[in-house]
Structures are given as structure tokens and as C-alpha cells.
Amino acid sequence: NASVAVATARASTGRFPLEEVAIAQGVSSVRWPGRLETLAVEPRTLVDAAHNPEAISALRASLEALGLPRPRVLVFGVMADKDWPEMLASLVPLFDHVVLSPVSTARALDPRRAASVIADFRPYDVTESAAEALTVARRRAGRDGAIVVTGSIFLVAELYRDCGGAEEPFDDGPTQ
């Protein structure tokens, strides 16, 4: 999305004079809650609303570059109609433990189905709620580890505040 916005701004400079510094400042000031966002430090807790294999691939590259502390715990909940086996195959190798969570919507995948895909690769827990998944993940990560919540925009929204995010993620406070 950022690349498209930059390309559009550059292509429009004939009609709307924009300097490169203005474009760079605009991109650097963008805030997108729930996208590779750190919400807590002990344990380090990141949320990313990656909900398809392409977004998971981008998340994986970002996580590899970040070098998160260990133990690393993945909290994963997803819609049943997504390519969740591919998503898990990409992410699970980066983590020491996986917590599979339901998501509060009718389209959600039963986390027990996801367990069958990872059972031979990583220790895991299956929880009854997203709140329970976060509690288990915190216990597994300890204070010095890292938690990543992903797989669904709905899951990130459900846990955003509990992970340490604002009550209203897009509200930066009162405007003047």
C-alpha cells in the first residue's frame, strides 16, 4: 500500500508539486494500528492483522529482521476460509510455542483443526477464547520473551486493548 501511495504521489508531481522529502515524511508518519505494532514490552507483544499467506510472508520477513527475544510464542486464530495451513507452515518455525485461539465470528476456524497441522512440529495449546490464549501466551513467554498475535484482523481487534493497545486504536486524542 505504501509503495502504491509513493508511486502515485511521484506520478502526480506534474499536477501537484511534491518534493521527495514531503513524500518521505508522509510515509513515515502513517500509523496503521494492528500492523506490526508493538503494544507491550514485558513480554514484548506484537500484533499484526496478517490474514492471508501474502501478509504472513511479509510478517515473517519483518519478524526475522526484528530478532525477537526467546521464548517466542505465536497466538494464532484465523478464518476457516483462509489458507491457514500455508500460513502456519510459514510462521511456526519462527516460534518456540504456539497458542491456537478461536476468533469470535461464525467464519472462524476451530483451533483444534489447526492443531492437527502443527502437532508434530511445535508444542502448542488450544484455548477456548482469545483472552485465554493471551493469558497462556504470557505464561509461556515469561517477562523476557515475545508474543506475536496474528492470523485474523478479528483476532487482533479482539485482543488489541488486552495486549496493551489503546481503547480506540485510531483515536490519537482530542483534535484542536
Side-chain angles (χ1 to χ4, degrees):
N1 289 337
S3 296
V4 170
V6 168
T8 302
R10 287 179 177 151
S12 302
T13 57
R15 290 188 70 191
F16 307 102
L18 291 171
E19 296 181 20
E20 280 296 316
V21 69
I23 294 170
Q25 287 173 339
V27 170
S28 69
S29 67
V30 171
R31 185 171 165 271
W32 193 347
R35 287 292 186 180
L36 198 62
E37 186 176 13
T38 299
L39 297 179
V41 294
E42 289 184 354
R44 185 161 178 195
T45 305
L46 285 85
V47 297
D48 193 293
H51 62 280
N52 58 45
E54 295 78 18
I56 291 290
S57 179
L59 172 59
R60 180 186 169 102
S62 295
L63 293 174
E64 288 172 335
L66 286 174
L68 296 175
R70 292 193 179 273
R72 296 176 187 158
V73 181
L74 173 64
V75 175
F76 186 83
V78 69
M79 300 300 105
D81 60 347
K82 299 294 181 174
D83 189 355
W84 55 268
E86 182 180 339
M87 294 164 70
L88 282 169
S90 179
L91 280 179
V92 167
L94 299 179
F95 292 89
D96 303 301
H97 196 91
V98 178
V99 181
L100 299 167
S101 174
V103 181
S104 297
T105 181
R107 285 182 43 223
L109 178 73
D110 181 332
R112 293 173 293 207
R113 284 188 59 204
S116 66
V117 171
I118 64 165
D120 294 333
F121 302 103
R122 287 289 180 275
Y124 69 93
D125 292 289
V126 175
T127 61
E128 298 296 320
S129 70
E132 179 189 356
L134 186 58
T135 298
V136 169
R138 285 179 172 146
R139 187 176 70 245
R140 298 284 186 196
R143 288 180 54 126
D144 299 325
I147 299 169
V148 175
V149 176
T150 195
S152 168
I153 294 168
F154 295 102
L155 179 66
V156 168
E158 192 171 340
L159 290 178
Y160 192 84
R161 189 175 59 178
D162 292 339
C163 286
E167 177 87 26
E168 296 295 330
F170 290 98
D171 186 4
D172 290 330
T175 57
Q176 301 291 332

